[in-house]
Amino acid sequence: MAVHDHPQRHVRFHLSLRRSGTAQHSADETSAVVLSATSTHVLATLRLLTGFVFLWAFLDKTFGFGYATPSGKGWIDGGSPTKGFLGSVAAGPMESTFHDWAGAGWADWLFMLGLLGVGLALIAGIGLRIAAVAGTAMMALMWIAEWPPAKHLSDGSPSMSTNPFTDYHVIYAVVLIALAAAGAGATWGLGKAWARLPFVSRNHWLL
C-alpha cells in the first residue's frame, strides 16, 4: 500500500504546483494590465497639463490677461513677448546676445509660435516628437538665459539660484521627451487617428 500511495501523493504535489503557478501568472498579467492602463492615463494627464502650461503662456502674452503679462501690454496691444525677459538677462555666456535679440520681431514670432505649437500639439496628442524637439530647444535657451549655475549676476549681486543645474526648464524638457517617447497622444488625444494618416505613417518623425 505504501508503494501505491507514494505516486499518488507525488502527482497531487505537481498538480498543486501547476495550479499555483498558473494562478500567480494570471495575477501578474492582471497587475500588468492594470498598471499599463493606469500609466497611460497618468501620462495623458501629464500631457494635457503640460500642454496647458504652454498654451496659457501664449494666450496671456498675446492678450495680456493681467497675470504674467499686464493688461494692455499683450502682443496684440503692441507689446513684445521677449523684450522684458531677454532684456533682463543678467548672467550667463549669452547675456549680450539675448539683449540684442530682445524685442526683435523675428524673436517674438518664433517664441510665440513655439509656445502655441507645443501647447496645441500636447493638448491634441499629435506631433509629439516635433513638439519635444521644439520645446526642448526653447527650454534650453530659457535655461541659458536664466543661467542657474551663476552664484552672482553680472553686477555682482547674488543670483539667488536654488539649483546650479536642475530647474523647471530641465523638468519640462524631460517631460516633453518622455511624452513623445511613450506615444502619450493615444489616450485622451488624437494620436491614434493622427498615426493612421498616410503622410504621417510614411514619416514617423511627425508622430
Side-chain angles (χ1 to χ4, degrees):
M1 290 294 295
V3 174
H4 294 290
D5 288 343
H6 185 268
Q8 292 177 354
R9 288 199 298 271
H10 187 67
V11 170
R12 287 174 185 173
F13 176 72
H14 279 285
L15 286 174
S16 177
L17 279 180
R18 188 175 296 112
R19 288 171 182 170
S20 177
T22 302
Q24 182 63 42
H25 182 66
S26 177
D28 289 343
E29 286 184 342
T30 302
S31 298
V33 170
V34 172
L35 180 61
S36 177
T38 302
S39 299
T40 57
H41 288 96
V42 169
L43 287 173
T45 301
L46 180 61
R47 191 196 83 236
L48 292 171
L49 290 175
T50 306
F52 183 70
V53 169
F54 281 85
L55 187 59
W56 174 260
F58 169 81
L59 294 173
D60 186 49
K61 293 178 184 301
T62 299
F63 300 104
F65 291 145
Y67 289 88
T69 305
S71 299
K73 299 291 184 180
W75 198 22
I76 63 171
D77 299 312
S80 171
T82 62
K83 187 174 183 179
F85 176 68
L86 294 181
S88 63
V89 173
M94 294 183 64
E95 180 180 351
S96 59
T97 302
F98 285 135
H99 289 172
D100 292 337
W101 291 358
W106 64 267
D108 289 342
W109 276 96
L110 281 179
F111 180 58
M112 296 299 281
L113 288 176
L115 290 176
L116 178 63
V118 173
L120 291 178
L122 289 175
I123 290 177
I126 63 176
L128 297 185
R129 294 184 180 182
I130 299 176
V133 172
T136 298
M138 186 183 303
M139 291 300 103
L141 287 172
M142 294 178 73
W143 184 88
I144 295 172
E146 294 194 5
W147 199 242
K151 292 182 178 180
H152 298 87
L153 303 179
S154 54
D155 61 2
S157 61
S159 68
M160 305 302 291
S161 175
T162 58
N163 190 298
F165 175 72
T166 303
D167 68 351
Y168 66 98
H169 298 108
V170 176
I171 301 300
Y172 281 148
V174 172
V175 166
L176 290 172
I177 294 171
L179 292 174
T187 302
W188 299 340
L190 304 175
K192 290 183 179 179
W194 175 258
R196 287 196 295 266
L197 295 176
F199 68 95
V200 175
S201 61
R202 291 193 300 268
N203 300 278
H204 288 256
W205 57 272
L206 292 173
L207 291 172

